[in-house]
Each structure stands twice: as structure tokens, then as C-alpha cells.
Amino acid sequence: MKNLILSLTLITTCYSYSQEHFSGISTSKRGGLLNANNNPAELVNMNTKYEANLFNFSLGMANNKLTFSDLVSGDNLEDKIFEGDEAVNLRLDAQILGPSFAFKYKKWGFGITSLANVKANVINLDSKLGDAIQNGELSNIFSQTVISSNDNQRLNATTWGEIDLTIARNLIDLPKHKLNVGTNLRLLFPGAYANFSADNLNGTIVNNFGDISLVDATANINIAYAGVLANDYNDQGNYNEFFSQGINGFATDIAVNYRWKDENDANSYRLNTGLSIKNIGSMTFKSDNNLSKNYILNVDNLESLDLNQFENVESLSEIEAILNDPANAAYFQSTSSTADYTVKLPTVINAYADVRLTKKWFVTGSINQKVSDDSKSDFITTQNSYTLIPRFSAKWFEAYAPLASNEISGFTSGIGFRLSGFFIGSNSVFTALADSGKQADLYLGVRFGF
């Protein structure tokens, strides 16, 4: 059980990267496929007729416990992550944009984009539960820890690939005003999935000189896995499965974009705004080793469930075997089981406004607000974020400094640069270097227009 609880924590520590991908560059005045990934209606605003994306990636980690200095030092992470009473939340999020192409034709914009996604999360993990399991065996005394949680505590990881087809259309194009609409039609390729959750967990963890047991406990348990994440979840190579199961899902983004144009500069504007609803859809895992199973945990106060038996497991399939062991049959009652199961994407509302202050100075405000309850076991998670981005923007060079407030990691500040088609940036480098930041990320890419 200790390996299970710490696995995603250590994975995110090893990657050490943020949640809002390509913040700053995705609202750049330059326009292109990255803007369309943020708001598909922007595709018709490309400054060139064609654009080719070579390779872009964004990697990020956000948490509510560990600072960047904690991650760098690597000292006592297992203790620090479970300090205090606040539940543990960690988010690892990676997105890779592969070869992609877009073009404009009259009032239309068309694009095709290849993507790969990785998400790994620790969600609402009770700190007392984690501390009791992690550190209980090191104790030489008898102790009891009461757990009472109304949350759905989850350890979750998902990988999948996408082929996105973007279509944008200009509806109104006047000397001062321009209105576009667009959509991303997203073909989803499930890769691998793992979920272990305990909803409404109540009970007492008893530590008897390192022998740890659970008594007087109830909970709703879900265990689900597909693909290589049914195996060793500590192996980072298992998070590289993206297109292994073929097309087994569909999602869409719908968007609108309004631009108050500059009559004296066709490549600029006074105001550029957008509104999009993203991630409307789901995908179904259908690999040979699929399993999604629900249990009711019930341990009365005259019995005890031995938690030491979970200590050395390295896969969810091993945990599932322990739950089904006849010795544990009295504690875990299976209520449902399925091989093929569907996972929902987190629907998000994205809104932004980019205002020109002077000829080359702009400021952008943006909001990412989830509209679904992603604490449920069949949801991929995301987080809310609010960002303010001052920027200097010329034709071949751009510099910007994102300032953000994120649901998990709090305040972050970073910087980014664009030189022609190359860009690099971080949403959190300044707060990370100040040792107070609880987020670390990096993104970069190369694309060109012609």
C-alpha cells in the first residue's frame, strides 16, 4: 500500500514539470495551431496562409504540499507530503504536439494535429491516512489514527493519443470588427489507464509496533486498469503508451472569437477575445487486460484488515488479487465488474481577452474553469486557473510574463520568449526559484509559417 500511495508522488517528483499548457504563447498575436488548440476559431486568424508544426511539448507538475526546493533537495519527501491536515493533491500533466499542419482558404481555416497526453494524479488523499501507512511501520509504539473523509481519494493515471481536425470559419469581416467560429473534432486513442479510489472512507488505522491494520471501517472502493498501467506503475516507461488501442473515443471543442481590428495594421488588433468549451467527450478502454471493479469495504470493530499485505505490491493487478483473496472476502464485497469501461474528459470553459496597450505592448487575461465534477472515479482530472499575461510583441520577437492563480498550486509567475517560429517558456520559473512555488513546468517548440 505504501508503494501505491507514493508511486504517483515520486513520478511527479521525477518529472517535476504545469497544468495550463503553453500559457502565453497560445494567445500570441502571431496566431497558428497553438492558438487553435486553445480556441479553434483562432485558426482563421493565422498571419500566414500555411503553418507546419514540427514538435511542441509542455510538461508540468502542480501540488499543494511540496515547494520547488523540497523537490530539488529530495529530502524526506515522504514525510513532508503528509504533513498537516490538508488533503494531498498532486497533478502531473504532459502534452506533446507532434507533426501538424494548417492552412487558410478564403474565409476558412483547416488544420490537422497529432497529440499525446499524460496525466497522473493524487487526488484528495487524507494526510493522516498517508502518514499512518508510510511511517507507521517505523514506529516502535502502539498508535491509532482515525480517518473520516467525505472525499473520493484517488490515485489515477491516464495516457492517450489524439488526431485533431480543426475547422474555423470567418462569419463577419468588417473594417473594424471580425467574428469567427470554429471546432476541434478530436479522435481519441486510449493508451493506458489506472485508478484506485476510496470514496467516503471512515475507519481507524491501528499501528501495533509496525503491524498496521484497519478496523471499524467502511468505504466504496474502485480499482480499474488497462494497458501497461495494469503492470508496474513505478516504471516511467509505462507512461509512454499513447495510440495502442486504436480509435475508441471522440471529443469536441466549440469556440467563438471576436476581434476589434486595427484599421492601420492588418496583422494587429486593438482587442482579441475568445470563448471555447473544451473536452466534450469520452473514450473507452478495450485492451485484453482491462478491468474496472467496484467493492464495498466493511470491517466491523471486532475484525481487522491487515494492511501490511499491500506493502510490496507494484501493480494494480496485484492489488486486485489481494482484494479477491478468500482471506479478505469478508471485508470486500464486489458490487460490479466490467472489462470495457468509459472514461470522461473534464469539460472546461476557456475565456480570454488580449488588449493592446500600445503598438507593441499587450496584456492578456484568461480563465480556465472546469464545469464537471472530476472527483468521480470515471473522470480524467484538471484544475481551474486564472492568468494575467503582460507581453511585448514584435513581428519576429515576443516576450511575456504569465502571472497565474491555480486551484492546486496557488500563485505562480514565469516568463516566455518567441524568436520567429521557436518558443520557450515556463509559467512558474520565478516562484520556483524563489523556493516558495509549488509548481514547476517547462514548454518549448518549433513551428514555421509560409
Side-chain angles (χ1 to χ4, degrees):
M1 181 66 76
K2 179 174 68 177
N3 286 340
L4 175 63
I5 289 178
L6 290 177
S7 60
L8 293 180
T9 304
L10 296 179
I11 289 167
T12 54
T13 301
C14 291
Y15 277 102
S16 296
Y17 297 107
S18 161
Q19 199 76 19
E20 186 181 351
H21 293 296
F22 305 108
S23 179
I25 197 67
S26 64
T27 50
S28 168
K29 184 170 71 72
R30 177 192 179 277
L33 280 164
L34 280 176
N35 300 63
N37 188 46
N38 186 52
N39 181 316
E42 287 274 11
L43 194 63
V44 79
N45 291 330
M46 286 196 308
N47 294 338
T48 58
K49 186 173 183 179
Y50 304 98
E51 179 173 274
N53 175 76
L54 300 182
F55 181 77
N56 304 331
F57 75 88
S58 172
L59 301 171
M61 190 277 284
N63 82 101
N64 66 336
K65 291 282 189 171
L66 302 175
T67 66
F68 184 73
S69 59
D70 292 330
L71 297 175
V72 171
S73 67
D75 295 332
N76 300 318
L77 294 182
E78 298 90 339
D79 296 329
K80 293 177 180 179
I81 197 70
F82 299 125
E83 287 181 351
D85 295 327
E86 185 180 8
V88 178
N89 280 280
L90 294 157
R91 302 285 192 271
L92 168 77
D93 201 346
Q95 189 174 84
I96 303 168
L97 278 71
S100 308
F101 181 75
F103 67 95
K104 293 192 300 184
Y105 177 73
K106 296 183 179 180
K107 293 187 175 183
W108 293 87
F110 301 94
I112 181 169
T113 306
S114 58
L115 296 96
N117 301 275
V118 178
K119 287 181 178 287
N121 309 280
V122 177
I123 306 163
N124 295 328
L125 178 62
D126 190 297
S127 293
K128 292 186 292 184
L129 171 64
D131 182 67
I133 294 175
Q134 165 61 25
N135 300 316
E137 65 180 24
L138 304 179
S139 174
N140 294 319
I141 61 174
F142 178 85
S143 64
Q144 292 186 341
T145 303
V146 177
I147 306 297
S148 180
S149 173
N150 295 322
D151 294 324
N152 188 21
Q153 303 180 55
R154 300 175 64 195
L155 306 178
N156 177 271
T158 316
T159 67
W160 76 97
E162 298 183 24
I163 299 295
D164 292 358
L165 306 175
T166 306
I167 303 173
R169 163 74 177 179
N170 170 243
L171 298 181
I172 299 173
D173 194 358
L174 302 175
K176 291 186 177 181
H177 306 286
K178 185 177 183 180
L179 182 67
N180 308 317
V181 294
T183 184
N184 279 331
L185 306 175
R186 300 162 57 187
L187 304 177
L188 306 181
F189 297 74
Y193 184 74
N195 186 79
F196 184 88
S197 63
D199 189 19
N200 291 313
L201 174 61
N202 293 276
T204 301
I205 296 179
V206 177
N207 171 30
N208 188 9
F209 300 98
D211 292 329
I212 303 173
S213 59
L214 183 65
V215 302
D216 195 19
T218 59
N220 298 313
I221 305 294
N222 172 262
I223 184 168
Y225 51 78
V228 293
L229 286 179
N231 304 316
D232 188 352
Y233 42 70
N234 287 307
D235 184 353
Q236 295 179 30
N238 286 343
Y239 293 82
N240 298 331
E241 289 282 334
F242 300 117
F243 294 87
S244 61
Q245 296 190 37
I247 301 175
N248 276 312
F250 177 80
T252 186
D253 309 330
I254 56 176
V256 61
N257 164 246
Y258 166 74
R259 178 170 286 193
W260 178 14
K261 299 194 295 184
D262 183 347
E263 314 92 279
N264 302 316
D265 186 349
N267 292 320
S268 189
Y269 48 79
R270 300 177 186 274
L271 172 68
N272 187 55
T273 65
L275 176 68
S276 60
I277 304 175
K278 304 174 67 175
N279 298 331
I280 307 171
S282 61
M283 55 186 168
T284 301
F285 288 85
K286 294 184 176 182
S287 63
D288 293 338
N289 64 342
N290 272 24
L291 177 74
S292 179
K293 201 165 186 178
N294 294 309
Y295 299 87
I296 294 177
L297 169 67
N298 189 5
V299 184
D300 65 36
N301 55 10
L302 298 178
E303 301 173 319
S304 64
L305 173 64
D306 178 17
L307 296 183
N308 293 91
Q309 62 186 314
F310 295 95
E311 181 179 352
N312 295 315
V313 299
E314 295 184 348
S315 70
L316 290 180
S317 56
E318 290 180 68
I319 294 174
E320 192 263 337
I322 293 174
L323 299 188
N324 292 327
D325 190 308
N328 297 317
Y331 309 126
F332 296 97
Q333 178 185 351
S334 175
T335 59
S336 65
S337 180
T338 182
D340 297 344
Y341 55 92
T342 299
V343 177
K344 301 179 183 69
L345 273 62
T347 303
V348 173
I349 294 176
N350 170 264
Y352 61 89
D354 190 32
V355 182
R356 193 182 72 182
L357 304 177
T358 66
K359 184 176 181 179
K360 294 183 179 181
W361 287 94
F362 296 76
V363 62
T364 306
S366 69
I367 297 174
N368 282 287
Q369 178 70 48
K370 59 187 177 184
V371 299
S372 54
D373 181 7
D374 63 4
S375 66
K376 297 180 180 178
S377 294
D378 59 349
F379 267 90
I380 298 172
T381 63
T382 189
Q383 65 169 315
N384 300 323
S385 62
Y386 311 91
T387 309
L388 186 69
I389 311 168
R391 78 174 71 241
F392 172 85
S393 183
K395 182 177 181 180
W396 300 106
F397 175 77
E398 193 167 1
Y400 46 90
L403 307 169
S405 176
N406 302 290
E407 180 182 3
I408 302 300
S409 56
F411 175 74
T412 62
S413 62
I415 195 167
F417 302 94
R418 175 183 64 85
L419 181 61
S420 187
F422 171 79
F423 63 88
I424 185 170
S426 168
N427 301 329
S428 59
V429 61
F430 291 140
T431 44
L433 292 176
D435 291 340
S436 59
K438 296 178 181 178
Q439 175 171 306
D441 65 273
L442 174 70
Y443 62 82
L444 62 83
V446 179
R447 70 257 175 89
F448 60 91
F450 55 97

